[in-house]
C-alpha cells in the first residue's frame, strides 16, 4: 500500500515537473531522473524487487510499440546509412568500450561486462525531442535521432539478452551468431504475421474502450509469445508496430483513433514515472548493501562508466561524420549539400541521454546475476548523469550551434493540406444542391487558408457532405504518405486535424462513408 500511495504522489509530482520543464525548456525526463534519485534518500521509502521478465514486458513492450508506431519508413530508408552507423555501430562500439572498462576496473565476467555495455548503450530520443522541436533543428537530425532511438533499442536489447543468458549459463557466447540470425529472421516474420492478425481483430471492434484494451493486451501477448518460442521479443514488437501503423489508421474510426492515441500517450508517461520510482527504490537498497571501501569503489566505477558512455558516443559520431565528409568530396554538388556537418555531429553526439530502456534493462537483471549491484548502480548513474548533464545543457548548446530554423515539416503539412482540401472540392464538384454549394465554399476557403494562413473562415453545418468529403481527404493523405511525398510526422498532424473535423461533423464520432451521394 505504501508503494501505491508513493506512486500516486509521484505521478502528481511528475505532472508538475512537466510544467516546470516546459517553463525551463529542459527535457522532462531530466527532472524525473532527479525526482527518482531523491527517493534513495527518502526516509521510510519501501524496498521493492520486481520480476525481471515482468519488468521487460511491462515497461519495454508498450514503449517500443509506441515509438515504432510513429516511425517514418520514408525517413528510415532515406537516412539508412547514418541510422546503421548509429543503431548498430555506435551501440556495438559503446558496448565493447564499456564492457572492457567493466572487465578491467570492476572485475566483471566477460558476459556480465557485455550485459552492462548493452544496458547503457542505447540513447533515448524522447528526452531530447521536446527541446529540439522548440528550436526547429534540421529535419535530418531529428529523423535520425528518432529512428536511431527505435533501432538501437532492438540492437542493444538483443545483445543484452544473449549476454545475460551467457552469464547465467544457458547459452555460450560462441553460439550467439547463429542464435542471432535465426532469432532476427523469425522475429521479423512473426512480427508481420502478428500485425496482420491484429488488424483483422481491431477492424471488427467499434467500441473505443474495448479497442484500446485489445491493443494493450495484444502488445503484451505478442511480447510474451515471441519470448516463449525463443524469438527476439524486441524485434517482433518493432515489426508488429510498423505493420499495423501502415494500415490501422485508415481502418479505424476517428473516435477510436483519438481515444487510443490519448491513452497510449498517458500510458507511456506513467510507465516513465514508474520506472524512475523503481530506479530510486532500487538505488536505495543497493547503496544500503554496499558499505565501506566497496561503496566508494562502486561510485567511482559508476562515474567512470558515465564518462566513458558520453565520450564514446561523441568520438564515434564525430569520426564517422569526418569519414563521410571526406568521401562526400567525390559526390555531386547536391549530395555534398546533404552530407552531414560537424555541427550536426556535435548535436547528435550530445543527444545521448539514456532513459527508460536502460533503466528497465538494469532493473530486469536476475537477483543472482554476477556483479548485479555495481552494474545496476552504474546504469542508474548513466541515466541520471546523461539526463541532467546533457539534458539541461542541450538548450545552451543549440543556441551556440545556431542552426537555421527548419521548415521541412511545416512545408509538408502545407503541401498536404492544400492537396486534401482540393480532393474534397473535386469530390463535391458534381453536387448541385444548395448544401453542396455551401460545403464547397467552406472547403475553398480552407484551401485558401492553407495557401495563405492569414485568411480565416468559419465552419459549415452540413455535416453529411463534410463526412463525404473527409473520406476523399483521407484517401489523398494516405497516398501522399505512401508515395513518400510527406513523412509520418506531417501525416499524423494532418490525420489529427481530419479526425477532429470528422468528430465535429458526426456526433457518433464514427466514420460512415456516404456512398449514397
Amino acid at each position: 500500500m505504501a508503494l501505491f500511495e508513493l506512486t500516486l504522489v509521484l505521478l502528481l509530482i511528475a505532472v508538475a515537473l512537466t510544467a516546470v520543464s516546459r517553463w525551463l525548456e529542459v527535457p522532462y525526463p531530466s527532472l524525473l531522473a532527479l525526482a527518482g534519485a531523491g527517493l534513495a534518500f527518502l526516509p521510510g521509502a519501501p524496498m521493492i524487487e520486481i520480476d525481471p521478465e515482468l519488468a521487460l514486458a511491462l515497461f519495454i513492450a508498450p514503449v517500443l510499440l509506441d515509438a515504432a508506431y510513429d516511425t517514418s519508413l520514408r525517413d528510415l530508408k532515406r537516412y539508412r546509412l547514418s541510422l546503421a552507423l548509429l543503431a548498430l555501430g555506435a551501440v556495438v562500439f559503446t558496448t565493447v568500450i564499456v564492457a572492457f572498462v567493466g572487465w578491467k576496473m570492476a572485475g566483471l565476467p566477460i558476459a556480465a561486462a557485455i550485459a552492462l555495455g548493452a544496458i547503457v548503450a542505447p540513447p533515448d530520443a524522447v528526452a531530447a525531442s521536446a527541446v529540439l522541436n522548440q528550436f526547429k533543428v534540421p529535419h535530418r537530425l531529428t529523423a535520425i535521432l528518432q529512428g536511431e532511438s527505435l533501432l538501437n533499442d532492438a540492437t542493444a536489447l538483443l545483445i543484452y539478452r544473449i549476454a545475460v543468458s551467457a552469464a547465467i549459463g544457458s547459452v555460450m557466447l560462441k553460439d550467439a551468431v547463429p542464435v542471432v540470425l535465426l532469432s532476427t529472421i523469425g522475429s521479423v516474420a512473426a512480427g508481420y504475421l502478428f500485425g496482420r492478425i491484429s488488424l483483422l481483430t481491431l477492424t471488427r471492434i467499434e467500441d473505443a474502450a474495448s479497442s484500446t484494451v485489445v491493443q494493450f493486451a495484444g502488445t503484451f501477448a505478442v511480447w510474451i509469445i515471441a519470448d516463449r518460442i525463443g524469438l527476439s521479443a524486441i524485434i517482433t514488437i518493432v515489426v508488429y508496430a510498423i505493420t499495423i501503423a501502415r494500415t490501422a489508421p485508415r481502418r479505424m474510426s476517428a473516435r477510436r483513433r483519438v481515444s487510443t492515441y490519448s491513452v497510449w500517450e498517458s500510458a507511456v508517461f506513467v510507465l516513465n514515472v514508474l520506472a524512475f520510482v523503481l530506479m530510486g527504490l532500487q538505488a536505495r537498497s543497493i547503496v544500503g548493501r554496499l558499505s565501506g571501501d566497496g561503496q566508494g569503489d562502486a561510485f567511482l566505477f559508476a562515474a567512470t562508466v558515465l564518462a566513458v558512455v558520453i565520450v564514446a558516443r561523441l568520438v564515434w559520431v564525430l569520426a564517422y561524420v569526418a569519414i563521410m565528409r571526406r568521401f562526400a568530396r567525390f559526390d555531386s554538388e547536391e549530395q555534398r549539400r546533404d552530407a552531414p556537418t560537424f555541427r550536426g555531429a556535435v548535436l547528435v553526439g550530445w543527444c545521448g541521454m539514456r532513459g527508460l530502456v536502460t533503466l528497465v534493462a538494469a532493473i530486469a537483471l536476475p537477483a543472482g546475476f554476477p556483479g548485479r549491484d555495481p552494474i545496476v548502480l552504474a546504469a542508474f548513474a548513466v541515466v541520471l548523469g546523461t539526463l541532467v548533464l546533457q539534458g539541461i545543457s542541450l538548450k545552451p548548446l543549440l543556441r551556440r550551434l545556431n542552426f537555421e530554423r527548419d521548415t521541412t515539416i511545416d512545408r509538408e503539412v502545407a503541401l498536404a493540406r492544400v492537396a486534401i482540401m482540393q480532393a474534397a472540392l473535386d469530390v463535391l464538384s458534381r453536387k448541385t444542391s444548395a448544401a453542396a454549394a455551401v460545403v464547397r465554399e467552406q472547403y475553398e476557403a480552407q484551401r485558401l487558408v492553407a495557401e495563405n494562413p492569414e485568411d480565416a473562415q468559419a465552419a459549415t453545418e452540413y455535416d453529411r457532405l463534410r463526412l463525404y468529403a473527409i473520406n476523399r481527404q483521407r484517401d489523398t493523405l494516405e497516398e501522399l504518405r505512401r508515395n513518400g511525398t510527406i513523412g509520418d510526422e506531417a501525416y499524423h498532424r494532418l490525420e489529427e486535424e481530419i479526425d477532429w473535423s470528422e468528430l465535429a461533423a458526426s456526433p457518433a464520432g464514427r466514420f460512415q462513408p456516404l456512398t449514397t451521394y
Side-chain angles (χ1 to χ4, degrees), residues 66-268:
D66 184 64
Y69 193 91
D70 294 333
T71 297
S72 172
L73 289 180
R74 182 198 66 171
D75 290 340
L76 289 181
K77 294 175 183 176
R78 179 177 296 176
Y79 307 120
R80 56 187 177 274
L81 177 58
S82 295
L83 288 172
L85 290 170
L86 286 171
L88 295 175
V91 166
V92 173
F93 179 71
T94 303
T95 299
V96 170
I97 299 298
V98 172
F100 179 77
V101 172
W103 175 60
K104 295 292 290 184
M105 186 174 179
L108 296 174
I110 294 296
I114 293 174
L116 170 61
I119 288 170
V120 300
D124 184 3
V126 173
S129 60
V131 179
L132 296 179
N133 290 337
Q134 290 173 3
F135 282 82
K136 296 285 187 180
V137 301
H139 175 67
R140 171 191 173 90
L141 299 181
T142 56
I144 288 174
L145 286 170
Q146 290 169 355
E148 179 207 2
S149 180
L150 173 67
L151 299 177
N152 65 16
D153 288 346
T155 304
L157 289 174
L158 190 60
I159 297 172
Y160 166 83
R161 295 302 290 264
I162 294 172
V164 170
S165 298
I168 61 179
S170 61
V171 70
M172 300 295 290
L173 283 176
K174 62 183 179 64
D175 300 325
V177 173
V179 171
V180 169
L181 290 176
L182 290 174
S183 175
T184 301
I185 296 172
S187 300
V188 170
Y192 178 78
L193 177 62
F194 287 140
R196 303 306 300 181
I197 294 173
S198 178
L199 287 170
L200 292 175
T201 304
L202 290 174
T203 53
R204 287 166 170 76
I205 301 175
E206 293 298 332
D207 179 63
S210 300
S211 177
T212 304
V213 170
V214 169
Q215 288 178 49
F216 275 97
T219 300
F220 293 123
V222 168
W223 179 282
I224 293 169
I225 293 171
D227 190 58
R228 293 286 174 84
I229 63 179
L231 300 176
S232 168
I234 300 100
I235 296 175
T236 305
I237 281 289
V238 169
V239 176
Y240 168 77
I242 292 177
T243 300
I244 62 176
R246 307 306 295 183
T247 308
R250 191 64 184 91
R251 297 185 180 182
M252 294 172 64
S253 68
R255 181 169 296 279
R256 279 193 293 156
R257 187 163 42 252
V258 170
S259 173
T260 297
Y261 288 175
S262 298
V263 172
W264 274 95
E265 184 178 0
S266 300
V268 170

Side-chain angles (χ1 to χ4, degrees), residues 5 48 65 136 158 207 341 393-394 457 480:
E5 294 168 352
I48 183 172
L65 184 132
K136 296 285 187 180
L158 190 60
D207 179 63
T341 65
S393 63
L394 186 56
Q457 289 291 324
L480 290 171

Side-chain angles (χ1 to χ4, degrees), residues 402-465:
N402 193 28
F403 288 104
E404 293 183 6
R405 289 181 66 84
D406 186 271
T407 59
T408 301
I409 300 300
D410 294 333
R411 283 187 279 109
E412 289 184 356
V413 169
L415 173 66
R417 184 177 286 118
V418 172
I420 63 178
M421 293 303 170
Q422 187 60 52
L425 287 170
D426 291 343
V427 79
L428 291 171
S429 62
R430 296 182 297 274
K431 311 305 171 187
T432 58
S433 66
V438 174
V439 173
R440 278 199 301 272
E441 289 180 5
Q442 171 64 24
Y443 277 109
E444 286 171 355
Q446 291 181 355
R447 185 190 61 183
L448 290 174
V449 170
E451 295 172 339
N452 183 8
E454 287 75 21
D455 291 342
Q457 289 291 324
T460 178
E461 297 179 0
Y462 293 87
D463 295 332
R464 283 180 59 81
L465 280 174

